[in-house]
Amino acid sequence: GQQVMQIPQYQHVQEGEDFTTYCNSSTTLSNIQWYKQRPGGHPVFLIQLVKSGEVKKQKRLTFQFGEAKKNSSLHITATQTTDVGTYFCAGANSKLTFGKGITLSVRP
Amino acid sequence: EADIYQTPRYLVIGTGKKITLECSQTMGHDKMYWYQQDPGMELHLIHYSYGVNSTEKGDLSSESTVSRIRTEHFPLTLESARPSHTSQYLCASRGTGRNTEAFFGQGTRLTVV
């Protein structure tokens, strides 16, 4: 199946700092999805990327799919305390398996 | 708001008991999934289904079983609960076609004592 890897698992930033995390696969992905899970909550879909090199923005969040479709990045500009949570990527084949996620904490 | 529901939300049960966690969705989605997640940890896929009468085991070995007799219903059963089953169980569904985002239920937090 399509396995995706996310490293590191935890990151702490000062409010206002930028944050970038990556999702990597050893195989070419047909598409990739990103989800956010707030503490105590359930994962919520953020975005899907399909095309090689695709870039999508949601307010302060920028998502990119690599040219080889083997990696993806999530960049948050000027983090806020509302960005706290765990961000998961998933190789969205039928099986829908997730990376380990990165838990972001933001110091006010 | 996603139309996918899990019951119960919380369950405390004794070792050896049989339990069924319910998951229902009203979106007509073919694909449904069960994940096990410890607090702050990764999502482990334990079962999934592509449609009625289709069930597959996921990546994490699980002593649970599932059934998919109706499109909207995907229950998870533990024949004999053990303390090692203590975890959160999340159910999700996806449609087919271009828009394939997964919708998650609120989860069932299971404690086996």
Side-chain angles (χ1 to χ4, degrees), chain B residues 47-57 66-68 74:
Chain B
H47 294 282
Y48 59 105
S49 168
Y50 294 144
V52 171
N53 294 327
S54 150
T55 61
E56 303 284 345
K57 288 188 182 292
V66 291
S67 63
R68 190 87 185 275
F74 191 40

Side-chain angles (χ1 to χ4, degrees), chain A residues 3 10 33 35 37 40-43 45 48 88 92-100 103, chain B residues 31 33 35 37 40-43 45 48 50 59 88 90 94 98 100-102 104-106:
Chain A
Q3 300 290 336
Y10 302 94
Q33 296 180 344
Y35 292 77
Q37 184 176 23
H42 58 276
F45 174 81
Q48 174 169 282
F88 293 97
N93 60 349
S94 293
K95 207 171 169 184
L96 195 59
T97 51
F98 288 82
K100 291 189 175 183
T103 298
Chain B
K31 300 187 184 76
Y33 307 83
Y35 295 90
Q37 184 185 39
M41 303 299 282
E42 62 188 291
L43 292 155
L45 178 65
Y48 59 105
Y50 294 144
D59 299 320
Q88 175 164 251
L90 286 160
R94 292 170 74 192
R98 293 190 66 181
T100 58
E101 69 177 275
F104 282 81
Q106 300 275 11

Side-chain angles (χ1 to χ4, degrees), chain A residues 50-86:
Chain A
V50 178
K51 298 176 184 176
S52 168
E54 187 172 14
V55 177
K56 288 188 177 180
K57 292 189 176 185
Q58 288 181 350
K59 297 183 181 177
R60 294 177 297 101
L61 276 62
T62 302
F63 303 85
Q64 185 163 6
F65 206 4
E67 293 290 340
K69 299 182 73 172
K70 288 187 175 182
N71 55 70
S72 178
S73 65
L74 158 61
H75 177 82
I76 303 178
T77 303
T79 54
Q80 300 176 359
T81 54
T82 53
D83 296 323
V84 162
T86 301

Side-chain angles (χ1 to χ4, degrees), chain B residues 29-101:
Chain B
H29 288 166
D30 287 328
K31 300 187 184 76
M32 295 189 74
Y33 307 83
W34 276 104
Y35 295 90
Q36 184 177 342
Q37 184 185 39
D38 292 325
M41 303 299 282
E42 62 188 291
L43 292 155
H44 292 287
L45 178 65
I46 51 175
H47 294 282
Y48 59 105
S49 168
Y50 294 144
V52 171
N53 294 327
S54 150
T55 61
E56 303 284 345
K57 288 188 182 292
D59 299 320
L60 180 68
S61 175
S62 172
E63 292 156 342
S64 59
T65 59
V66 291
S67 63
R68 190 87 185 275
I69 299 171
R70 303 196 318 264
T71 297
E72 61 270 22
H73 195 214
F74 191 40
L76 176 82
T77 298
L78 278 168
E79 291 292 333
S80 179
R82 294 211 301 264
S84 60
H85 295 138
T86 295
S87 190
Q88 175 164 251
Y89 293 83
L90 286 160
C91 179
S93 73
R94 292 170 74 192
T96 52
R98 293 190 66 181
N99 187 3
T100 58
E101 69 177 275

